[in-house]
């Protein structure tokens, strides 16, 4: 599949900053846009159809084999002794026929108090024809990215569990091509997650048993990533804070419904607003490759400082910090523990990416076998800006629950 060089340039957005041209996020700043960008954004794609059909909510929903992405602490209360899952998500299918995300997950209960899990995430961009600035063919390549991780999750009390995860990330988008005269190479990084999950049966509703849960997951805490080993400038990976509650109601012996809310914030510095001259160009600082900052703070900082700074460095203060939060609202209905219907809504502020979509889906469980699918519907009021690459596509997930159930749902 041949693609225009413009599309390849978009994939290289983070690499341009590593060449000494630290302009920050200049494009769109005049109209209020100030989007936070990171390397390896594929780590933020919802990997499974269940959460994908619930508006990308999952930090406090019931545990399943795909909990690694949402909250690995849920594995400690996993209901099956062992589970294997495989999911498939097409990507940008309106433009590219062979771009997709595949996800393989495995979880095993060690004992009544702890569990182990591991996942492999593989993202391929299909076949891309690389060309130079004159349109000369530089060959066809298959850029790809992948991450492999593992976690240990353990109950800390009867109601609280925690988890620590480790992750290796590999990104080979450039296939050794020259960009701005510099030879590129594959980028890699290591990262970790820290998560907690709490749940308890409550008697908030007369004549109806219920369960309340909440979770917190700080994911992808790790080193910056670059595509040029000779460059000292690298990009942040998408360190992310996710938290929220879930309320589950057992209506009767056959019907159960839950309501979930997820809140997300990237723990990455906000791009500053740079001072511009009368021609609209950024004003350089003499003797450096940096530019004068008009509002905000420099985002050329270390990982730990970047995480802390992300809470107070937005150029327009607290109001902009609040706009950096995204929200997922979801509901899940189960009939007789066999058939599920799901729905959700995702909201992101128009100045921070403008992703707004609804999602629907269903699930089926029969003995050890489970099948889930989801369908996404963009709700951006007729504009193509901010629409989701998964729009109007189905994605699927298979689950195999092996061993005995530890408790009834």
């Amino acid at each position: 599949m041949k693609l225009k060089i413009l599309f390849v340039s978009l994939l290289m957005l983070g690499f341009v900053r590593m060449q000494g041209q630290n302009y920050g996020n200049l494009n769109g700043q005049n109209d209020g846009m100030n989007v936070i960008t990171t390397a390896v954004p594929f780590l933020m794609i919802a990997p499974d159809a269940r959460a994908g059909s619930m508006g990308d909510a999952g930090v406090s929903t019931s545990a399943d084999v795909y909990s690694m992405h949402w909250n690995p602490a849920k594995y400690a209360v996993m209901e099956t002794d062992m589970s294997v899952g495989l999911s498939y998500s097409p990507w940008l299918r309106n433009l590219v026929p062979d771009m997709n995300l595949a996800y393989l997950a495995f979880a095993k209960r060690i004992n009544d108090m702890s569990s182990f899990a591991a996942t492999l995430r593989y993202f391929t961009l299909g076949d891309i024809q690389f060309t130079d600035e004159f349109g000369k063919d530089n060959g066809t390549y298959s850029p790809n990215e992948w991450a492999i991780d593992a976690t240990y999750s353990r109950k800390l009390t009867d109601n609280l569990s925690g988890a620590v995860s480790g992750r290796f990330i590999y990104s080979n988008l450039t296939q050794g091509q020259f960009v701005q005269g510099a030879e590129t190479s594959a980028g890699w990084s290591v990262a970790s997650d820290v998560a907690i999950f709490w749940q308890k049966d409550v008697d908030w509703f007369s004549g109806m048993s219920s369960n309340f849960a909440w979770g917190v997951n700080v994911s992808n805490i790790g080193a910056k990533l670059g595509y040029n080993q000779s460059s000292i400038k690298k990009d942040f990976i998408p360190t992310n804070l996710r938290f929220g509650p879930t309320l589950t109601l057992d209506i009767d012996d056959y019907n159960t419904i839950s309501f979930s809310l997820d809140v997300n914030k990237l723990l990455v510095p906000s791009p500053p607003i740079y001072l511009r001259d009368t021609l609209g160009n950024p004003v350089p600082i003499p003797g450096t490759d940096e530019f004068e900052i008009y509002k905000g703070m420099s985002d050329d900082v270390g990982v730990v400082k970047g995480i802390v700074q992300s809470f107070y460095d937005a150029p327009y203060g607290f109001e902009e910090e609040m706009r950096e939060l995204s929200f997922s609202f979801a509901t899940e209905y189960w009939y007789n523990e066999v058939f599920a219907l799901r729905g959700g809504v995702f909201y992101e502020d128009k100045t921070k990416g403008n992703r707004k979509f609804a999602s629907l889906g269903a699930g089926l469980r029969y003995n050890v076998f489970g099948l889930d699918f989801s369908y996404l519907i963009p709700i951006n009021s007729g504009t193509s800006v901010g629409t989701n690459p998964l729009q109007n596509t189905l994605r699927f997930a298979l689950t195999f629950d092996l061993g005995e159930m530890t408790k009834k749902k």
Side-chain angles (χ1 to χ4, degrees):
M1 172 69 185
K2 295 184 177 182
L3 295 177
K4 298 294 185 181
I5 189 62
L6 175 62
F7 182 69
V8 179
S9 299
L10 292 175
L11 298 176
M12 295 298 297
L13 196 59
F15 176 78
V16 174
R17 293 183 56 205
M18 292 180 279
Q19 307 308 308
Q21 303 297 321
N22 190 16
Y23 290 88
N25 188 22
L26 293 177
N27 294 331
Q29 286 188 346
N30 287 335
D31 57 10
M33 296 291 289
N34 194 25
V35 180
I36 299 174
T37 58
T38 69
V40 290
F42 82 103
L43 293 176
M44 296 298 293
I45 300 173
D48 63 302
R50 180 196 178 197
S53 64
M54 298 171 65
D56 289 4
V59 73
S60 57
T61 55
S62 59
D64 62 18
V65 71
Y66 301 105
S67 294
M68 180 76 77
H69 179 81
W70 308 104
N71 186 343
K74 296 193 296 183
Y75 284 121
V77 294
M78 185 175 65
E79 296 176 352
T80 60
D81 180 67
M82 184 169 62
S83 188
V84 178
L86 176 64
S87 68
Y88 173 80
S89 301
W91 197 252
L92 279 174
R93 284 304 170 91
N94 291 335
L95 297 176
V96 187
D98 53 357
M99 186 181 298
N100 59 76
L101 172 71
Y103 194 72
L104 178 64
F106 170 82
K108 177 71 172 68
R109 178 173 294 280
I110 299 173
N111 51 44
D112 290 341
M113 297 294 293
S114 60
S115 298
F116 167 83
T119 68
L120 171 64
R121 177 192 303 253
Y122 181 79
F123 184 67
T124 175
L125 283 75
D127 294 331
I128 294 181
Q129 180 188 15
F130 284 79
T131 62
D132 60 21
E133 61 270 29
F134 304 107
K136 180 181 177 182
D137 185 4
N138 284 341
T140 299
Y141 300 89
S142 299
N144 62 82
E145 301 175 293
W146 54 267
I148 187 169
D149 45 34
T151 189
Y152 174 75
S153 177
R154 182 176 179 84
K155 285 185 178 181
L156 305 177
T157 69
D158 289 341
N159 304 113
L160 180 68
S161 59
V164 176
S165 307
R167 178 169 297 111
F168 178 81
I169 306 159
Y170 180 86
S171 177
N172 190 10
L173 295 180
T174 60
Q175 307 283 300
Q177 296 295 305
F178 282 82
V179 176
Q180 295 187 344
E183 184 178 6
T184 62
S185 61
W188 63 273
S189 180
V190 291
S192 63
D193 302 349
V194 179
I196 57 174
F197 177 71
W198 183 93
Q199 68 171 358
K200 185 178 182 180
D201 292 333
V202 294
D203 55 357
W204 295 349
F205 306 92
S206 177
M208 182 185 303
S209 60
S210 56
N211 179 276
F212 181 75
W214 56 265
V216 180
N217 183 23
V218 182
S219 59
N220 301 318
I221 308 168
K224 294 182 179 181
L225 184 145
Y227 296 95
N228 181 356
Q229 300 304 319
S230 65
S231 173
I232 62 173
K233 289 187 178 295
K234 297 183 178 182
D235 286 321
F236 287 94
I237 63 175
T239 306
N240 184 72
L241 168 65
R242 183 189 303 272
F243 62 93
T246 291
L247 175 64
T248 302
L249 306 176
D250 292 329
I251 301 172
D252 54 36
D253 291 341
Y254 296 95
N255 299 277
T256 301
I257 190 168
S258 63
F259 304 91
S260 300
L261 167 66
D262 273 24
V263 183
N264 282 275
K265 176 176 171 55
L266 279 173
L267 302 185
V268 177
S270 303
I273 305 296
Y274 289 99
L275 184 67
R276 298 172 183 264
D277 59 24
T278 56
L279 299 177
N281 298 316
V283 177
I285 299 175
T288 72
D289 59 358
E290 306 295 328
F291 298 89
E292 294 280 359
I293 294 176
Y294 174 66
K295 283 182 179 293
M297 305 173 64
S298 172
D299 56 355
D300 188 14
V301 296
V303 172
V304 175
K305 184 176 180 179
I307 291 174
V308 176
Q309 180 177 307
S310 68
F311 289 98
Y312 60 83
D313 65 350
Y316 292 98
F318 180 74
E319 181 182 355
E320 184 176 349
E321 290 288 354
M322 294 304 295
R323 293 200 300 267
E324 291 180 355
L325 300 178
S326 62
F327 302 89
S328 299
F329 307 90
T331 184
E332 181 179 41
Y333 164 80
W334 277 95
Y335 175 74
N336 200 28
E337 305 177 11
V338 174
F339 178 71
L341 291 176
R342 307 181 180 108
V345 176
F346 179 91
Y347 172 85
E348 182 178 64
D349 189 84
K350 64 180 180 180
T351 64
K352 296 298 178 178
N354 201 29
R355 291 177 298 158
K356 300 179 181 70
F357 60 85
S359 57
L360 302 170
L364 180 67
R365 297 290 183 272
Y366 183 76
N367 291 333
V368 301
F369 174 78
L371 172 65
D372 299 288
F373 72 90
S374 66
Y375 183 78
L376 186 143
I377 308 167
I379 50 176
N380 286 75
S381 302
T383 176
S384 61
V385 177
T387 54
N388 193 288
L390 282 173
Q391 66 187 61
N392 303 325
T393 61
L394 291 172
R395 50 179 169 173
F396 301 89
L398 295 174
T399 303
F400 298 91
D401 293 325
L402 309 175
E404 296 182 355
M405 300 286 289
T406 59
K407 66 175 182 178
K408 187 178 183 287
K409 282 188 178 181

